[in-house]
Amino acid sequence: MSTSATPMSRFPMPDVLDLPQDLRDRILAVQEKSGFIPTVFLALAHRPAEFRAFFAYHDALMDKDVGLTKGEREMIVVATSSANECEYCVVAHGAILRIREKNPLIADQIAVNYRKAEITPRQRAMLDFAMKVCKHAATVDERDFELLASHGFTEDDIWDIGAIAGFFGMSNRLANMASMRPNPEFYLMGRIPREPAPAKA
Amino acid sequence: MSTSATPMSRFPMPDVLDLPQDLRDRILAVQEKSGFIPTVFLALAHRPAEFRAFFAYHDALMDKDVGLTKGEREMIVVATSSANECEYCVVAHGAILRIREKNPLIADQIAVNYRKAEITPRQRAMLDFAMKVCKHAATVDERDFELLASHGFTEDDIWDIGAIAGFFGMSNRLANMASMRPNPEFYLMGRIPREPAPAKA
Amino acid sequence: MSTSATPMSRFPMPDVLDLPQDLRDRILAVQEKSGFIPTVFLALAHRPAEFRAFFAYHDALMDKDVGLTKGEREMIVVATSSANECEYCVVAHGAILRIREKNPLIADQIAVNYRKAEITPRQRAMLDFAMKVCKHAATVDERDFELLASHGFTEDDIWDIGAIAGFFGMSNRLANMASMRPNPEFYLMGRIPREPAPAKA
Amino acid sequence: MSTSATPMSRFPMPDVLDLPQDLRDRILAVQEKSGFIPTVFLALAHRPAEFRAFFAYHDALMDKDVGLTKGEREMIVVATSSANECEYCVVAHGAILRIREKNPLIADQIAVNYRKAEITPRQRAMLDFAMKVCKHAATVDERDFELLASHGFTEDDIWDIGAIAGFFGMSNRLANMASMRPNPEFYLMGRIPREPAPAKA
Amino acid sequence: MSTSATPMSRFPMPDVLDLPQDLRDRILAVQEKSGFIPTVFLALAHRPAEFRAFFAYHDALMDKDVGLTKGEREMIVVATSSANECEYCVVAHGAILRIREKNPLIADQIAVNYRKAEITPRQRAMLDFAMKVCKHAATVDERDFELLASHGFTEDDIWDIGAIAGFFGMSNRLANMASMRPNPEFYLMGRIPREPAPAKA
Amino acid sequence: MSTSATPMSRFPMPDVLDLPQDLRDRILAVQEKSGFIPTVFLALAHRPAEFRAFFAYHDALMDKDVGLTKGEREMIVVATSSANECEYCVVAHGAILRIREKNPLIADQIAVNYRKAEITPRQRAMLDFAMKVCKHAATVDERDFELLASHGFTEDDIWDIGAIAGFFGMSNRLANMASMRPNPEFYLMGRIPREPAPAKA
């Protein structure tokens, strides 16, 4: 293993201090929260306008508190990113999925074969649709919507499922083109159950 | 034919007057310039945050005057959107491609089989890479970059090619999920050579 | 665009006047009716026996007035030729389809994604079967026939659908092997509504 | 096994005596020569115009004494028909191939995996091109022609290779649509070496 | 044809007399029974430990007298080996299938397109499942088991179907890697009906 | 997460104490060494003859100390098992790979997109060949052997690569058919660097 020898992105990764103020603020806020700067932030920063649009889009789809849970949104990311063989997104969002779901096994299960993962039938239907949008969007038709509705998904939920699959379809292609590498920190995140906090005395 | 009977999108299309001011301004500006409102503007407007991010991203990739020409950018859109069987993007961007290139035949040629289209070897290499990002991004490697460099593409050009393929990979999936229909106006745009302007008197 | 520079076929295109009498007659009749000679006639003429068989087969399948309409037959050609990425057939038969259906939009819709085209459910079932014959003929089974029968297709209609898909499967392969180019005239045909004839005085 | 119970074609097989004179003559001539009537003749006879065109085309491509040998033409049929999973054509033309090549093993080898068959490098190049036309005709380009030329194939030979692949692409689709069954006689033909004729006294 | 020129395996084929005693015994027993040594025995013998495991596995799956008949087991081998384009297994096990089923036509039918073969609906369901395990095992789910149960297959039968498909998935890959050639004897075996034994006097 | 609710295999998992002595010995030895019984041992035990052959084959290929390293053998397992979407093998052998290579990142990298993994060019060539055997074994030819030889692989090494890909092709199919679940212990194994042993005093 020689992460030092393999660049984190094939394209330029600017120094944070050289970036426009808004990018710098966003990146430093992430670093403060996570303890490290996820590669994607630096790998997109050489294109500030695209950076802004990318994260605005990302936040609009992933940081919502209604409809799909945040964990379910990450399930979609992991399943479709694995279909697209995107190392960065599977590893980084696999970490987030484990944390969101408080489940150390779920990300690997969904990445390898979501059909066998320990999820609910409703989540299975969600991922079936996400994978259809990922791989055969031209064949989506009204029966897909009826099936999702039968599992209780609203029209807004369905848009979210498809839009997340679409957005990461773009993200996966960018990351593969740039050979973005996930930070080593992501591989272990969410795999070790936290100690229960000691009872207050 | 009954365009009146088939909705332009399966999801809600809000009334322009009900939209936030910035969306309304953008849409009315497009309408004034084009004479009609392209479906995609109304079809995304039920999600203002995504609308803003989508068009910011679009403009960052498509409205550039350096590197790839605007016509070449549209070639990428048409070729990859056809691979994704996206009716909206092939028809609407096919129209723009004809206009940009002042060539009434080019869009259909690229949509059906770009390998046989009347383009330069450099443009062919551009589309080969765009299609690889579209269909097999996980296999992109350094030889692709070398080949593109041998045709004179800069690193920035290459990012543009891949990013456009990625962005429309998302756009195609959204349009197919929503069954967005292209406006009838697009089908004929750019197919009839303009009369030469009369000499000034 | 440089149609003059790109040959209309990679293989020899004989002079009409050098052809056997029956080929010459056929070609001149087409030219008189259409105003130009569609490439396929000249591109096949270097093989007179194959030319005769090809057009005899074509006419037997396409020039029938019972069962499928002529427009429906052209729908099959356009859908399957697009699946085979055949520039000549999609453009040339797209023109004929627009004319037969008096619909300037239908050809592009069927070429890009026939599942989203504005056609009847019966026509959709017809194209589903044609595409199955085109792409997975080995899996055709009795359920396909039952489904088509439920839409009112006779056994003769079904043979026509499959035979047209099969014949253009051959035609598409020939045209792609020879890189046949559609005549520029085809691109615009059927796109502009004719003026209604003036009332007789 | 119950060949009596399974029809030889899903579509009507007319009585030979009810056919137009020219079809009847052709079929009876085949029967006299072969000792039986191959299914395809009866299975196409319900469509006399298509029957005539089909066999005219077939003869123009398969009954030639210049360029490719008749055995090589049958190799193309067997390889491409196997790719299309066409029981009728693999079995019937496998028989003809064994006879043409006087080789009881060649047909099975080519049907299962032509890349491993005991053929010459020139024949391998021929089948590689035939399979490309069969499966990916849209990607045929000038390098294919150069490679074939380097093996000594003329332009006319190349047309023949592609046209045979194209014609049987149609034939395979018809046979699969109709579930045509090969006559039992074909399975064994050409598998048992003939006794050498006794020396004349 | 020049079987002498083409090696029976790309990897070493040891002399039988140089093999460990147990391999030698097994091979000589086969030779005595069959009259020749099938290639696979010699082609695996350079790896005695793998040889032993391979044939132990083979016998455990193929030499059973309960559940699936031996002929049905061979049907699975032929169908899946054809999907994997394995010349050795299709030809050698095709021979065994003909003998087991006393049917000279069945092996070619199943090899080319098992969906059209003259088998029972129960055997068709068996092969559909075997092909699913062969090509898309990751999508096997409970509905497959229910369908097989409805045809009377026990859980043990189902395991056998899938395990045979899996084992020959390995075998096909080894044989293709080594370019193993079937012995010429296999091609004709089981094709000629045996004379009925004369009545005992 | 509810591992208690989801069975570890869809097929019977016998009690260890009910197994034949040799199976029991093997399983208890594994349990003693690992601290738990990996699912595959119990999931195959209902078929003792297959169990014996499976593990004999496995050991012959995986427990060798010459040629490929044990870590490299596990790389092949992880890459091909991921292509086959086999949850059990990717997770269980991913754990072994991390341990063999003393690298907590390598298994996820190879599982998601081995082309981007931090491995040597020689290992990349090894995995390219393993994946070819896994997905397109029928196309393996002499050029593959030459390429591997140029990286220093011996003929024995090449057999090992292909045989491991073949063996796990079988294993993956069995595990997917049986919906075998990896033991929870595997997910974390090899991810946390061991403390360096304290210096002896």
Short mmCIF file of all heavy atoms in Angstrom, two decimals, chain E residues 111-145:
data_model
loop_
_atom_site.label_atom_id
_atom_site.label_comp_id
_atom_site.label_asym_id
_atom_site.label_seq_id
_atom_site.Cartn_x
_atom_site.Cartn_y
_atom_site.Cartn_z
N ALA E 111 -28.12 -27.47 -27.21
CA ALA E 111 -26.92 -26.62 -27.34
C ALA E 111 -27.24 -25.32 -28.09
O ALA E 111 -26.75 -24.26 -27.72
CB ALA E 111 -25.81 -27.37 -28.05
N VAL E 112 -28.04 -25.39 -29.13
CA VAL E 112 -28.26 -24.19 -29.94
C VAL E 112 -29.27 -23.25 -29.31
O VAL E 112 -29.05 -22.04 -29.24
CB VAL E 112 -28.70 -24.55 -31.38
CG1 VAL E 112 -28.87 -23.28 -32.20
CG2 VAL E 112 -27.69 -25.47 -32.04
N ASN E 113 -30.39 -23.76 -28.86
CA ASN E 113 -31.42 -22.91 -28.25
C ASN E 113 -32.33 -23.80 -27.43
O ASN E 113 -33.35 -24.30 -27.94
CB ASN E 113 -32.20 -22.15 -29.32
CG ASN E 113 -33.16 -21.13 -28.72
OD1 ASN E 113 -33.35 -21.08 -27.51
ND2 ASN E 113 -33.79 -20.33 -29.58
N TYR E 114 -32.00 -23.96 -26.16
CA TYR E 114 -32.74 -24.92 -25.34
C TYR E 114 -34.22 -24.56 -25.24
O TYR E 114 -35.06 -25.40 -24.96
CB TYR E 114 -32.11 -25.01 -23.94
CG TYR E 114 -32.49 -23.85 -23.05
CD1 TYR E 114 -33.54 -23.97 -22.14
CD2 TYR E 114 -31.83 -22.63 -23.11
CE1 TYR E 114 -33.90 -22.91 -21.33
CE2 TYR E 114 -32.18 -21.57 -22.32
CZ TYR E 114 -33.23 -21.71 -21.42
OH TYR E 114 -33.59 -20.65 -20.64
N ARG E 115 -34.55 -23.27 -25.47
CA ARG E 115 -35.95 -22.86 -25.36
C ARG E 115 -36.83 -23.52 -26.43
O ARG E 115 -38.05 -23.56 -26.29
CB ARG E 115 -36.07 -21.35 -25.50
CG ARG E 115 -35.24 -20.55 -24.51
CD ARG E 115 -35.27 -19.08 -24.88
NE ARG E 115 -34.14 -18.36 -24.32
CZ ARG E 115 -32.93 -18.32 -24.90
NH1 ARG E 115 -32.71 -18.94 -26.05
NH2 ARG E 115 -31.96 -17.64 -24.33
N LYS E 116 -36.22 -23.90 -27.54
CA LYS E 116 -36.98 -24.51 -28.63
C LYS E 116 -36.83 -26.04 -28.65
O LYS E 116 -37.34 -26.69 -29.56
CB LYS E 116 -36.47 -23.96 -29.98
CG LYS E 116 -36.38 -22.45 -30.09
CD LYS E 116 -37.71 -21.79 -30.33
CE LYS E 116 -37.52 -20.31 -30.65
NZ LYS E 116 -38.77 -19.59 -30.82
N ALA E 117 -36.07 -26.60 -27.69
CA ALA E 117 -35.81 -28.04 -27.73
C ALA E 117 -37.06 -28.83 -27.39
O ALA E 117 -37.96 -28.34 -26.69
CB ALA E 117 -34.69 -28.38 -26.75
N GLU E 118 -37.08 -30.08 -27.86
CA GLU E 118 -38.24 -30.95 -27.62
C GLU E 118 -38.09 -31.63 -26.26
O GLU E 118 -37.74 -32.80 -26.16
CB GLU E 118 -38.35 -31.97 -28.74
CG GLU E 118 -38.73 -31.31 -30.06
CD GLU E 118 -38.69 -32.28 -31.22
OE1 GLU E 118 -37.59 -32.67 -31.63
OE2 GLU E 118 -39.77 -32.65 -31.71
N ILE E 119 -38.35 -30.87 -25.22
CA ILE E 119 -38.27 -31.38 -23.85
C ILE E 119 -39.57 -31.08 -23.15
O ILE E 119 -40.42 -30.35 -23.69
CB ILE E 119 -37.08 -30.72 -23.09
CG1 ILE E 119 -37.18 -29.20 -23.17
CG2 ILE E 119 -35.76 -31.23 -23.65
CD1 ILE E 119 -36.09 -28.46 -22.40
N THR E 120 -39.77 -31.63 -21.97
CA THR E 120 -41.01 -31.40 -21.24
C THR E 120 -41.00 -30.01 -20.59
O THR E 120 -39.93 -29.43 -20.35
CB THR E 120 -41.18 -32.44 -20.12
OG1 THR E 120 -40.13 -32.24 -19.17
CG2 THR E 120 -41.09 -33.86 -20.68
N PRO E 121 -42.18 -29.48 -20.27
CA PRO E 121 -42.22 -28.20 -19.55
C PRO E 121 -41.42 -28.25 -18.24
O PRO E 121 -40.79 -27.26 -17.86
CB PRO E 121 -43.72 -28.00 -19.28
CG PRO E 121 -44.40 -28.76 -20.36
CD PRO E 121 -43.54 -29.96 -20.64
N ARG E 122 -41.43 -29.40 -17.58
CA ARG E 122 -40.65 -29.53 -16.35
C ARG E 122 -39.15 -29.39 -16.65
O ARG E 122 -38.41 -28.70 -15.93
CB ARG E 122 -40.95 -30.90 -15.73
CG ARG E 122 -40.28 -31.16 -14.40
CD ARG E 122 -40.74 -32.53 -13.86
NE ARG E 122 -40.16 -32.82 -12.56
CZ ARG E 122 -38.98 -33.38 -12.38
NH1 ARG E 122 -38.23 -33.70 -13.40
NH2 ARG E 122 -38.54 -33.59 -11.15
N GLN E 123 -38.71 -30.01 -17.72
CA GLN E 123 -37.29 -29.91 -18.07
C GLN E 123 -36.95 -28.49 -18.52
O GLN E 123 -35.85 -27.99 -18.26
CB GLN E 123 -36.95 -30.93 -19.16
CG GLN E 123 -36.96 -32.37 -18.63
CD GLN E 123 -36.97 -33.43 -19.71
OE1 GLN E 123 -37.33 -33.17 -20.86
NE2 GLN E 123 -36.59 -34.64 -19.34
N ARG E 124 -37.90 -27.84 -19.17
CA ARG E 124 -37.68 -26.45 -19.56
C ARG E 124 -37.47 -25.57 -18.32
O ARG E 124 -36.56 -24.72 -18.29
CB ARG E 124 -38.88 -25.96 -20.38
CG ARG E 124 -38.94 -24.46 -20.62
CD ARG E 124 -37.78 -23.98 -21.50
NE ARG E 124 -37.67 -22.54 -21.49
CZ ARG E 124 -38.28 -21.72 -22.35
NH1 ARG E 124 -39.01 -22.22 -23.33
NH2 ARG E 124 -38.15 -20.41 -22.25
N ALA E 125 -38.30 -25.78 -17.31
CA ALA E 125 -38.14 -25.00 -16.07
C ALA E 125 -36.78 -25.29 -15.42
O ALA E 125 -36.12 -24.39 -14.89
CB ALA E 125 -39.27 -25.33 -15.09
N MET E 126 -36.39 -26.56 -15.47
CA MET E 126 -35.07 -26.95 -14.93
C MET E 126 -33.95 -26.20 -15.65
O MET E 126 -33.04 -25.64 -15.02
CB MET E 126 -34.89 -28.46 -15.12
CG MET E 126 -33.53 -29.00 -14.75
SD MET E 126 -33.37 -30.77 -15.21
CE MET E 126 -33.02 -30.63 -17.00
N LEU E 127 -34.03 -26.14 -16.97
CA LEU E 127 -32.98 -25.46 -17.73
C LEU E 127 -33.05 -23.95 -17.57
O LEU E 127 -32.01 -23.27 -17.55
CB LEU E 127 -33.04 -25.86 -19.21
CG LEU E 127 -32.69 -27.33 -19.49
CD1 LEU E 127 -32.72 -27.61 -20.99
CD2 LEU E 127 -31.32 -27.70 -18.92
N ASP E 128 -34.25 -23.40 -17.45
CA ASP E 128 -34.34 -21.95 -17.19
C ASP E 128 -33.59 -21.60 -15.90
O ASP E 128 -32.87 -20.60 -15.85
CB ASP E 128 -35.81 -21.53 -17.05
CG ASP E 128 -36.51 -21.35 -18.38
OD1 ASP E 128 -35.83 -21.17 -19.42
OD2 ASP E 128 -37.76 -21.38 -18.40
N PHE E 129 -33.77 -22.43 -14.88
CA PHE E 129 -33.09 -22.13 -13.62
C PHE E 129 -31.58 -22.35 -13.76
O PHE E 129 -30.77 -21.52 -13.29
CB PHE E 129 -33.65 -23.02 -12.50
CG PHE E 129 -33.03 -22.74 -11.16
CD1 PHE E 129 -33.27 -21.54 -10.50
CD2 PHE E 129 -32.19 -23.66 -10.54
CE1 PHE E 129 -32.70 -21.27 -9.26
CE2 PHE E 129 -31.61 -23.40 -9.31
CZ PHE E 129 -31.86 -22.20 -8.67
N ALA E 130 -31.20 -23.42 -14.41
CA ALA E 130 -29.77 -23.68 -14.60
C ALA E 130 -29.11 -22.52 -15.35
O ALA E 130 -28.01 -22.08 -15.01
CB ALA E 130 -29.57 -24.98 -15.38
N MET E 131 -29.80 -21.99 -16.36
CA MET E 131 -29.24 -20.87 -17.12
C MET E 131 -29.20 -19.61 -16.28
O MET E 131 -28.30 -18.78 -16.44
CB MET E 131 -30.07 -20.64 -18.38
CG MET E 131 -29.93 -21.76 -19.38
SD MET E 131 -28.23 -21.98 -20.04
CE MET E 131 -28.42 -21.17 -21.64
N LYS E 132 -30.15 -19.44 -15.39
CA LYS E 132 -30.12 -18.27 -14.51
C LYS E 132 -28.92 -18.36 -13.57
O LYS E 132 -28.21 -17.37 -13.36
CB LYS E 132 -31.43 -18.17 -13.72
CG LYS E 132 -31.58 -16.86 -12.98
CD LYS E 132 -32.99 -16.69 -12.43
CE LYS E 132 -33.16 -15.29 -11.83
NZ LYS E 132 -34.54 -15.10 -11.30
N VAL E 133 -28.68 -19.53 -13.02
CA VAL E 133 -27.50 -19.72 -12.16
C VAL E 133 -26.23 -19.50 -12.99
O VAL E 133 -25.27 -18.88 -12.53
CB VAL E 133 -27.51 -21.12 -11.53
CG1 VAL E 133 -26.18 -21.40 -10.81
CG2 VAL E 133 -28.68 -21.25 -10.55
N CYS E 134 -26.25 -19.97 -14.21
CA CYS E 134 -25.08 -19.83 -15.09
C CYS E 134 -24.78 -18.37 -15.41
O CYS E 134 -23.64 -17.94 -15.39
CB CYS E 134 -25.36 -20.60 -16.39
SG CYS E 134 -24.13 -20.40 -17.68
N LYS E 135 -25.83 -17.60 -15.70
CA LYS E 135 -25.60 -16.26 -16.23
C LYS E 135 -25.91 -15.13 -15.26
O LYS E 135 -25.33 -14.05 -15.37
CB LYS E 135 -26.42 -16.07 -17.51
CG LYS E 135 -25.97 -17.03 -18.62
CD LYS E 135 -26.33 -16.55 -20.00
CE LYS E 135 -27.75 -16.85 -20.36
NZ LYS E 135 -28.04 -16.60 -21.80
N HIS E 136 -26.83 -15.32 -14.36
CA HIS E 136 -27.26 -14.23 -13.47
C HIS E 136 -27.53 -14.75 -12.06
O HIS E 136 -28.58 -14.46 -11.48
CB HIS E 136 -28.53 -13.57 -14.00
CG HIS E 136 -28.47 -13.14 -15.42
ND1 HIS E 136 -27.71 -12.08 -15.85
CD2 HIS E 136 -29.06 -13.64 -16.53
CE1 HIS E 136 -27.84 -11.95 -17.17
NE2 HIS E 136 -28.65 -12.88 -17.61
N ALA E 137 -26.59 -15.51 -11.50
CA ALA E 137 -26.86 -16.16 -10.21
C ALA E 137 -27.20 -15.15 -9.12
O ALA E 137 -27.95 -15.45 -8.19
CB ALA E 137 -25.65 -17.00 -9.79
N ALA E 138 -26.68 -13.95 -9.24
CA ALA E 138 -26.92 -12.94 -8.21
C ALA E 138 -28.39 -12.54 -8.11
O ALA E 138 -28.81 -11.94 -7.12
CB ALA E 138 -26.07 -11.69 -8.47
N THR E 139 -29.17 -12.86 -9.15
CA THR E 139 -30.59 -12.48 -9.14
C THR E 139 -31.52 -13.63 -8.75
O THR E 139 -32.73 -13.45 -8.75
CB THR E 139 -31.02 -11.94 -10.52
OG1 THR E 139 -30.99 -13.03 -11.46
CG2 THR E 139 -30.11 -10.83 -11.01
N VAL E 140 -30.96 -14.79 -8.45
CA VAL E 140 -31.82 -15.90 -8.00
C VAL E 140 -32.58 -15.47 -6.76
O VAL E 140 -32.01 -14.88 -5.84
CB VAL E 140 -30.96 -17.15 -7.70
CG1 VAL E 140 -31.79 -18.21 -6.97
CG2 VAL E 140 -30.37 -17.71 -8.98
N ASP E 141 -33.87 -15.75 -6.74
CA ASP E 141 -34.62 -15.45 -5.52
C ASP E 141 -35.73 -16.46 -5.28
O ASP E 141 -35.85 -17.45 -6.00
CB ASP E 141 -35.13 -14.00 -5.51
CG ASP E 141 -36.19 -13.74 -6.55
OD1 ASP E 141 -36.82 -14.69 -7.05
OD2 ASP E 141 -36.38 -12.56 -6.87
N GLU E 142 -36.51 -16.21 -4.25
CA GLU E 142 -37.47 -17.22 -3.79
C GLU E 142 -38.50 -17.58 -4.87
O GLU E 142 -39.00 -18.71 -4.90
CB GLU E 142 -38.16 -16.72 -2.52
CG GLU E 142 -38.67 -17.82 -1.63
CD GLU E 142 -37.61 -18.86 -1.24
OE1 GLU E 142 -36.42 -18.50 -1.13
OE2 GLU E 142 -37.98 -20.04 -1.08
N ARG E 143 -38.79 -16.65 -5.76
CA ARG E 143 -39.76 -16.99 -6.81
C ARG E 143 -39.23 -18.10 -7.71
O ARG E 143 -40.01 -18.89 -8.25
CB ARG E 143 -40.08 -15.74 -7.64
CG ARG E 143 -41.05 -14.81 -6.94
CD ARG E 143 -41.10 -13.45 -7.60
NE ARG E 143 -39.77 -12.80 -7.51
CZ ARG E 143 -39.51 -11.57 -7.90
NH1 ARG E 143 -40.47 -10.83 -8.42
NH2 ARG E 143 -38.29 -11.06 -7.77
N ASP E 144 -37.93 -18.16 -7.90
CA ASP E 144 -37.38 -19.26 -8.69
C ASP E 144 -37.65 -20.60 -8.02
O ASP E 144 -37.99 -21.58 -8.68
CB ASP E 144 -35.86 -19.07 -8.86
CG ASP E 144 -35.53 -17.79 -9.61
OD1 ASP E 144 -36.07 -17.60 -10.71
OD2 ASP E 144 -34.74 -16.98 -9.09
N PHE E 145 -37.49 -20.63 -6.71
CA PHE E 145 -37.72 -21.87 -5.98
C PHE E 145 -39.19 -22.29 -6.03
O PHE E 145 -39.51 -23.46 -6.18
CB PHE E 145 -37.25 -21.71 -4.53
CG PHE E 145 -35.76 -21.61 -4.40
CD1 PHE E 145 -35.11 -20.38 -4.45
CD2 PHE E 145 -34.98 -22.75 -4.27
CE1 PHE E 145 -33.73 -20.29 -4.33
CE2 PHE E 145 -33.60 -22.67 -4.17
CZ PHE E 145 -32.98 -21.43 -4.20
#
